[in-house]
Amino acid sequence: MTEIFTRAALAQQTLAELHVLFRQAQAQLASCELGSHEHFAHAANLQNVRREIAIRTIPTPRP
């Protein structure tokens, strides 16, 4: 069974580690069967890591 990365777990990683996790999730997603549990888990991981990277790199507007 594939672990799904949580927001709390990803918050502990550095930006460089997040980029590594993103590339790994991309590779794992490409190698699993479409519609399988693993496919869902890797797609969720990809989205979660993408969000965490965006939170850290996209500047937020200040009032």
Side-chain angles (χ1 to χ4, degrees):
M1 183 175 268
T2 303
E3 173 188 0
I4 296 178
F5 302 136
T6 63
R7 168 76 173 89
L10 294 173
Q12 303 299 316
Q13 305 297 317
T14 66
L15 192 55
E17 290 169 334
L18 289 173
H19 284 287
V20 170
L21 288 173
F22 185 81
R23 287 190 297 276
Q24 288 175 345
Q26 281 181 315
Q28 292 168 338
L29 182 62
S31 68
C32 65
E33 183 180 336
L34 184 64
S36 66
H37 173 74
E38 287 78 21
H39 185 266
F40 169 78
H42 295 309
N45 282 340
L46 205 57
Q47 183 176 17
N48 291 343
V49 174
R50 184 182 295 132
R51 279 190 196 132
E52 185 64 27
I53 290 171
I55 288 169
R56 296 185 192 195
T57 58
I58 297 173
T60 56
R62 297 189 180 194

